[in-house]
Amino acid sequence: MTITLYGYATSPFVRKVACYLHYKKLSFEFVGVSPVEPEKTIGFTKGSQVPVLKIGDEWRLDSSSIGLWLDEVYPERRLVSDNAEDREIALAIDQWISEQFIPGIVFRPALDGEMNEGFKKRAWRLASIVSSGAELSETVQKSWPDLLRQAPFIHHIVNQLDLSEPLEAMQMRLFMELTQYLDTGPYLGKLDKPSLADFAIYAQMMFFYQVGLVKDLPVLAHPTVGPWLKRVSEHLPQNPWCVDETFITNSWPFG
Ligand SMILES: N[C@@H](CCC(=O)N[C@@H](CS)C(=O)NCC(=O)O)C(=O)O
């Protein structure tokens, strides 16, 4: 059956699903969606939300639900264990990632802070990545810093956080919580195999580093998080991000 992933590589949820597919060794076609004209590619959903995964004639929305669906259709290399206890652990961590980690680490910085040169440069780089999948006009790309700031779905996601906690404190707390979930590993929740939760975090830290949105990856020096990232990387190709190799500007960090 043909598998098609619709989305844009700048979406943390799309990147999660790309990792799921690679982990399961399923070949798929990536169809770039334009966030300003989503109807051109995902009109069949009657909405604008990505990722959308299509298998044969069926399609689903929502990255975590897509993970569970993939396990149903392709039970090998499960994203969620069929052992009830391990399943509960993975799903609870995945929920924390969707409700806390991704909103706090990926989206809140897009709304907080100054609209300075650094912010604009990162936004333009994101626009060029989106445009490589579904062409955006130059005017739209130029306005990307403002468009990001205004995006209703980003406001919706960020407004679910407790914004009385300063951004830096929130990010430090989330990182600490990550180390607690990982504990001694080998995978999140001390599970012995990777789950959808491991890919959900890997897809954020590694993408931002590999496409040069951050200069380096200081977490590599962390005694448990560094080796865990390497461990997760061993289940995936070096570029699972649905972007052309030319966007990968930072060198592979694991020897
Ligand atoms: N819970 C969903 C969230 C998906 C989501 O928020 N996607 C964003 C892109 S990062 C989107 O499609 N925004 C545009 C829209 O919702 O219209 C998931 O896990 O897939």
Side-chain angles (χ1 to χ4, degrees):
M1 271 191 295
T2 306
I3 304 179
T4 313
L5 172 62
Y6 297 84
Y8 26 92
T10 57
S11 159
F13 306 104
V14 170
R15 296 195 293 271
K16 274 171 71 176
V17 174
C19 289
Y20 300 166
L21 292 163
H22 284 292
Y23 173 60
K24 284 181 161 295
K25 302 195 190 301
L26 297 168
S27 36
F28 66 98
E29 189 195 351
F30 175 71
V31 174
V33 173
S34 161
V36 290
E37 290 174 310
E39 66 287 348
K40 282 194 171 169
T41 43
I42 54 167
F44 62 89
T45 68
K46 309 250 188 297
S48 52
Q49 184 176 304
V50 296
V52 181
L53 190 77
K54 208 171 188 184
I55 306 178
D57 295 331
E58 278 192 62
W59 57 270
R60 299 278 192 282
L61 288 173
D62 192 80
S63 53
S64 299
S65 313
I66 289 172
L68 299 177
W69 184 41
L70 279 171
D71 273 356
E72 273 172 38
V73 185
Y74 304 100
E76 258 185 63
R77 295 187 198 80
R78 300 189 65 86
L79 292 158
V80 180
S81 168
D82 47 12
N83 165 294
E85 202 179 312
D86 289 356
R87 183 180 179 88
E88 202 178 310
I89 292 172
L91 291 178
I93 301 175
D94 188 63
Q95 188 178 351
W96 167 80
I97 296 169
S98 300
E99 292 175 1
Q100 293 279 317
F101 190 89
I102 291 179
I105 300 280
V106 181
F107 287 118
R108 190 171 171 192
L111 302 186
D112 274 31
E114 261 181 85
M115 172 75 85
N116 55 24
E117 276 314 296
F119 178 84
K120 287 188 197 162
K121 272 195 181 152
R122 283 193 297 279
W124 288 324
R125 179 136 185 90
L126 290 169
S128 70
I129 293 172
V130 172
S131 189
S132 72
E135 201 174 345
L136 301 174
S137 71
E138 251 180 59
T139 322
V140 168
Q141 288 198 52
K142 270 206 184 120
S143 332
W144 212 249
D146 295 313
L147 292 174
L148 273 185
R149 279 275 153 110
Q150 293 155 9
F153 83 91
I154 299 185
H155 283 269
H156 176 75
I157 290 175
V158 170
N159 283 335
Q160 293 167 7
L161 295 166
D162 172 7
L163 298 175
S164 66
E165 185 181 19
L167 175 63
E168 214 172 300
M170 178 177 279
Q171 297 206 325
M172 278 170 61
R173 172 179 60 79
L174 291 169
F175 185 74
M176 216 178 62
E177 288 173 2
L178 168 64
T179 63
Q180 286 162 356
Y181 281 126
L182 178 59
D183 199 344
T184 52
Y187 296 101
L188 291 175
K190 297 180 79 169
L191 300 181
D192 60 4
K193 293 212 175 87
S195 76
L196 75 183
D198 297 273
F199 297 118
I201 292 190
Y202 181 87
Q204 316 319 325
M205 291 181 169
M206 288 297 286
F207 172 79
F208 279 93
Y209 168 73
Q210 288 183 267
V211 302
L213 286 159
V214 294
K215 272 211 297 275
D216 44 27
L217 199 53
V219 293
L220 276 187
H222 188 277
T224 56
V225 179
W228 163 76
L229 277 179
K230 179 171 193 297
R231 219 173 284 134
V232 179
S233 79
E234 286 160 4
H235 297 281
L236 298 170
Q238 285 190 9
N239 172 10
W241 311 126
C242 308
V243 293
D244 189 83
E245 279 304 308
T246 54
F247 283 100
I248 308 292
T249 50
N250 274 328
S251 60
W252 184 245
F254 309 117

